């Protein structure tokens, strides 16, 4: 029997045995939360804080059962389970949610945010909260944003110090049109590729490099075969903690307050976990002989301006939000 078929049978058994709205023997409502990250990841640690905070606030009447490591499927598959009410909650990248809510495309615009403070002032303010709520019409209610850092280029044979150094290089990107446009605008050759295939692809020269944040660069072991890491920090796409509206709508008003408060508290704790992970990841990369390059970011920002222009042309109704974000103090 094929692996995918076995996995589907296991998942079906899971869904039959327990649904996201079921109560356990002690009368507690159980939130089944699936995500794709390993338990060592700082975002998973943030989710554990959500679990702890919610149980404490509800005095044990709301519990969270976490299924990490893609046990319940890919990001897209778990989103579909939320929509039908079979799973209550998940964590996905804002890039994945952009397929449902166009406003999430904003976060892929290169150099949209001036710095980390500006980013979270936006995300945790009125703009960010309004975007979280827009997913509700697709049965996907955003609770909070988790820090997923900034993405930067890493390469195996040639250092990237200016955008011109990207010329002729095949750079792996997510299968996301904005990410593809961004790399191409800077002079590289964007190459969509499954993340699980990337280590071998770099090793065999199928691609010359990729782009990601420091914890992912290290946890994937890509630092072993990519000895140049250029911290151009071209995009800062957050992760989103989501709850399915089919579960949310069954909660009392008091329970909804507990869930929202627990999510927001976990987001603050997760920022600390993220910063610690970045610091540790950079130490590991440097110790392994990776050259850390701090380029002039304005050169990369200038080259990628066309991505914003294309975005405004494609989403004219969202364009005013860009100016609102850029002008936020």
């Amino acid at each position: 029997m094929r692996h995918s078929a076995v996995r589907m049978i296991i998942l079906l058994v899971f869904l039959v045995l327990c649904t996201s709205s079921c109560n356990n023997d002690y009368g507690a409502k159980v939130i089944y939360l699936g995500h794709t990250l390993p338990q060592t990841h700082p975002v998973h640690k943030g989710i554990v804080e959500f679990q702890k905070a919610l149980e404490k606030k509800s005095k044990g009447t709301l519990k969270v059962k976490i299924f990490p490591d893609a046990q319940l499927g890919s990001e897209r598959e778990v989103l579909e389970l939320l929509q039908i009410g079979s799973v209550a909650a998940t964590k996905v990248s804002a890039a994945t949610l952009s397929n449902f809510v166009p406003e999430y495309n904003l976060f892929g615009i290169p150099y949209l945010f001036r710095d980390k403070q500006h980013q979270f002032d936006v995300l945790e303010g009125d703009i960010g909260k309004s975007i979280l709520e827009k997913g509700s019409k697709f049965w996907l209610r955003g609770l909070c944003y988790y820090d997923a850092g900034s993405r930067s280029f890493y390469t195996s044979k040639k250092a990237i110090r200016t955008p011109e150094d990207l010329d002729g290089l095949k750079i792996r990107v997510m299968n996301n049109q904005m990410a593809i446009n961004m790399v191409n605008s800077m002079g590289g050759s964007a190459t969509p590729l499954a993340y699980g295939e990337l280590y071998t692809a770099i090793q065999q020269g199928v691609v010359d490099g990729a782009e990601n944040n420091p914890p992912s660069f290290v946890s994937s072991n890509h630092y072993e075969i990519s000895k140049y890491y250029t911290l151009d920090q071209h995009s800062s796409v957050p992760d989103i903690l989501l709850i399915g509206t089919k579960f949310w709508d069954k909660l009392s008003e008091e329970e909804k307050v507990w869930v929202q408060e627990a999510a927001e508290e976990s987001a603050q704790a997760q920022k600390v976990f993220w910063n610690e992970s970045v610091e540790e990841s950079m130490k590991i990369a440097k110790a392994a002989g990776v050259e850390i390059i701090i380029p002039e970011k304005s050169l990369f920002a200038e080259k990628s301006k066309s991505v914003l222009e294309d975005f405004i042309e494609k989403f004219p109704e969202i364009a005013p939000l860009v100016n609102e974000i850029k002008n936020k103090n």
Side-chain angles (χ1 to χ4, degrees):
M1 187 179 292
R2 296 171 63 90
H3 174 73
S4 58
V6 172
R7 183 162 158 240
M8 182 57 68
I9 290 172
I10 293 172
L11 181 56
L12 287 173
V13 171
F14 164 80
L15 296 177
V16 169
L17 291 176
C18 55
T19 66
S20 60
S21 59
C22 70
N23 288 15
N24 66 16
D25 293 339
Y26 302 98
K29 292 180 182 177
V30 183
I31 296 175
Y32 288 91
L33 191 160
H35 68 80
T36 60
L37 300 171
Q39 295 179 57
T40 55
H41 198 283
V43 170
H44 174 81
K45 293 178 181 178
I47 291 170
V48 171
E49 292 301 310
F50 169 65
Q51 178 188 52
K52 292 176 182 177
L54 184 55
E55 185 163 347
K56 182 177 180 180
K57 287 177 182 296
S58 69
K59 294 182 172 59
T61 60
L62 285 175
K63 294 183 179 290
V64 181
K65 176 68 174 174
I66 304 171
F67 295 85
D69 296 306
Q71 291 178 45
L72 302 185
S74 66
E75 285 196 342
R76 182 71 186 221
E77 288 168 339
V78 179
L79 283 177
E80 291 171 356
L81 293 175
L82 258 70
Q83 289 178 311
I84 63 175
S86 296
V87 172
T90 189
K91 184 290 310 173
V92 299
S93 169
T96 302
L97 279 175
S98 66
N99 296 311
F100 298 92
V101 181
E103 282 81 358
Y104 281 113
N105 282 293
L106 279 166
F107 303 134
I109 295 173
Y111 303 102
L112 176 66
F113 302 112
R114 294 188 296 273
D115 51 34
K116 185 75 72 179
Q117 184 64 51
H118 178 219
Q119 180 187 9
F120 278 94
D121 283 347
V122 170
L123 296 183
E124 294 170 356
D126 292 340
I127 297 173
K129 289 177 181 177
S130 70
I131 294 174
L132 288 176
E133 292 172 1
K134 288 183 181 295
S136 294
K137 62 184 176 182
F138 301 100
W139 307 283
L140 302 169
R141 188 182 194 281
L143 292 173
C144 67
Y145 296 92
Y146 285 146
D147 192 353
S150 297
R151 302 177 74 91
S152 294
F153 293 114
Y154 54 88
T155 47
S156 57
K157 296 176 182 176
K158 176 185 176 183
I160 297 172
R161 304 183 191 279
T162 68
E164 286 68 33
D165 293 324
L166 280 162
D167 289 349
L169 296 186
K170 292 182 179 178
I171 303 296
R172 180 268 174 186
V173 295
M174 297 180 289
N175 192 13
N176 173 277
Q177 192 58 51
M178 190 171 290
I180 293 170
N181 292 348
M182 179 199 65
V183 170
N184 289 341
S185 71
M186 292 183 185
S189 177
T191 308
L193 188 70
Y195 192 62
E197 300 172 10
L198 183 51
Y199 187 101
T200 302
I202 295 173
Q203 195 174 43
Q204 296 180 350
V206 175
V207 295
D208 300 296
E211 45 91 49
N212 217 322
N213 55 62
S216 296
F217 176 54
V218 171
S219 64
S220 62
N221 295 321
H222 293 167
Y223 72 98
E224 297 174 347
I225 52 176
S226 299
K227 294 304 180 180
Y228 304 99
Y229 195 20
T230 302
L231 299 181
D232 66 299
Q233 299 177 320
H234 45 257
S235 62
S236 301
V237 181
D239 280 343
I240 317 292
L241 181 63
L242 292 168
I243 191 164
T245 58
K246 290 186 181 296
F247 183 86
W248 176 260
D249 291 342
K250 294 177 182 178
L251 297 176
S252 69
E253 290 306 309
E254 185 177 38
E255 288 170 333
K256 289 177 181 178
V257 170
W258 291 337
V259 170
Q260 187 63 52
E261 288 180 349
E264 291 173 3
E265 288 175 16
S266 75
Q268 299 309 311
Q270 189 270 337
K271 290 180 190 177
V272 177
F273 296 139
W274 185 267
N275 290 336
E276 291 173 347
S277 181
V278 169
E279 186 176 343
E280 180 61 24
S281 297
M282 294 303 287
K283 287 180 181 177
I284 292 171
K286 289 177 182 177
V290 175
E291 181 183 352
I292 307 299
I293 300 161
I294 310 295
E296 177 53 62
K297 286 195 253 185
S298 63
L299 299 177
F300 293 84
E302 183 65 28
K303 289 281 285 187
S304 60
K305 276 185 175 179
S306 61
V307 178
L308 174 56
E309 293 166 1
D310 290 343
F311 175 85
I312 291 172
E313 184 177 342
K314 185 175 182 180
F315 301 107
E317 70 283 5
I318 305 175
L321 270 179
V322 175
N323 289 330
E324 195 173 340
I325 289 172
K326 286 184 174 291
N327 293 331
K328 186 173 179 61
N329 294 323

